[in-house]
Amino acid sequence: MKVLKFGGTSVGSPERMTKLLDIIDPTERQIVVLSAVSGTTNNLVEIGQAYLAGDKTRATELIKTLKDKYEIFIKELLTKPEFLAQGKEVIDYHFGLLSNLANDLFTTIEDKIILAQGELLSTTLYHVYLKQIGVPSVLLPALDFMKTDEDSEPVVDYITEKLTPLLAKHPNNNLFITQGYICRNVFGEIDNLRRGGSDYTASLIGAGIRSEEVQIWTDIDGMHNNDPRIVKGTKPIAQLSFDEAAELAYFGAKILHPQSVFPAQKYKIPVRLLNTMDPQAAGTLITNDSEKDKIKSIAAKDGITAIKVQSSRMLLAHGFLRKLFEVFERYKTSIDMITTSEVAVSLTIDDTTYLTEIKKELNAFGSVEIDENQTIICVVGDFGVEKHGYAAKVLEAVKHIPLRMISYGGSDHNLSILIKTEEKTEALRSLHNRLF
Ligand code: ADP
Ligand code: ASP
Ligand code: MG
């Protein structure tokens, strides 16, 4: 079975939704994962923020504006009165729920219920559309099989356990539709896999059912060799290894959710990145294989905080790094980059929730310096131990930009530098011009 995921723009208009069948072959048994209609999750975020701020009037206005959009949407999508009536019921139900959520106490639990409505709407409306045109399909509720554990990590075995019987119930059905992004957490509450999480859903389902392939259909012809939103003339990469794709996704290539590669990688399921607007384009194939002797792509991750701990006493002592890392572990804060010298350690984090507490504890080791508004630029390629010259090329390209940290040799395929975010655009462009 294949898993096909369509992102926000791919379901972004009634026309786009109807065109999905140019790509989906309803005679093949497959699971189709849909994101919310583009823009909807952003709107839902705003509605939640208004409620959280206690501004019910603003929330009501935002809900009305969004509902009006869906009223128009269903009129174009569902052209037969019987199905338009069904579509109307669907949106009345979901928008009624949004309106009623603030009647009692509004907390992050209700906020997450709000965020889930986008994918519930898109999948249910698409299901009604398929009925209208006589294409049989089964709507699978993601909340019945997508679950995260106490560390907010999805549980693949749970997906297998729950999804297998759901699929077996419909032996004669080919097309299964489900929601990306949404899940239940360890308390059974509605939650999500963080922004862009539908990619992660697709990969998790692919792993859960040991699918033959996962296809991520989006609005661009695969992973490009630099961020197309910032750099002109970027090109798609035909082939990437799981490790390379994971580095790029984690370090900012928005086309893939940061964690989405791992489930597919674990079960060796090929992932294809494909373009809904140009289905014939080759896109990017992600497997265990990698093209050798090449710099493949550049990505950038903003919102990074660098922390430097300086201590001539402690660094010579063994066990110092362990004690330092334990501080981060206690606050469940992951570290991205590390560089060390004999008297100091610099490292980066992106989650600053506990920065004050972390800094306080680090003060026990020595002097602590914090630099905010940093960006990691990650260059991915084949940089095995026998290779030479690549680091020189990268550093030459950014020789006019102050570098806060350099990390090389951590793996065979990543060279990262840390710079001020204000230098990012220049760094990406200069690297692009010199490396490709
Ligand atoms: P979807 O809604 O289909 O999930 P996204 O907006 O999340 O789509 O991801 C696709 C977008 O990612 C592209 O339109 C592009 O602007 C952006 N992007 C950022 N970096 C890259 C890259 N290296 N390669 C391709 N696309 C990228
Ligand atoms: N709709 C969610 C978002 O906008 C999930 C996704 O599109 O992947 O973040
Ligand atoms: Mg996305």
Side-chain angles (χ1 to χ4, degrees), residues 43 67 77 90 110 163 228 234 238 249 293 302 328 353 384 387 407 423 427 431:
N43 293 147
K67 188 173 182 199
L77 183 72
V90 171
E110 284 73 29
L163 198 48
T234 61
D293 294 319
D302 295 335
F328 291 86
T353 316
K387 305 289 157 57
S407 168
E423 308 273 13
L431 282 163

Side-chain angles (χ1 to χ4, degrees), residues 5-10 35-36 38 196 198-199 216-229 234-237 248 252-257 273 276 297-299:
K5 175 258 170 176
F6 293 92
T9 23
S10 305
S35 291
S38 60
S198 300
D199 304 327
I216 308 280
W217 289 88
T218 180
D219 58 3
I220 191 164
D221 53 351
M223 178 74 80
H224 277 217
N225 57 1
N226 205 330
D227 192 328
R229 296 165 300 178
T234 61
K235 293 203 176 71
I237 309 162
L248 289 167
K254 193 198 168 212
I255 185 170
L256 276 180
H257 176 282
L273 308 181
T276 326
S297 185
I298 305 163

Side-chain angles (χ1 to χ4, degrees), residues 48 102 120 170 173 185 305-306 312 324 352 374 404:
L120 291 167
H170 304 278
N173 189 83
N185 61 26
T305 298
S312 48
L324 192 84
T352 52
Q374 306 285 305
R404 172 72 178 74

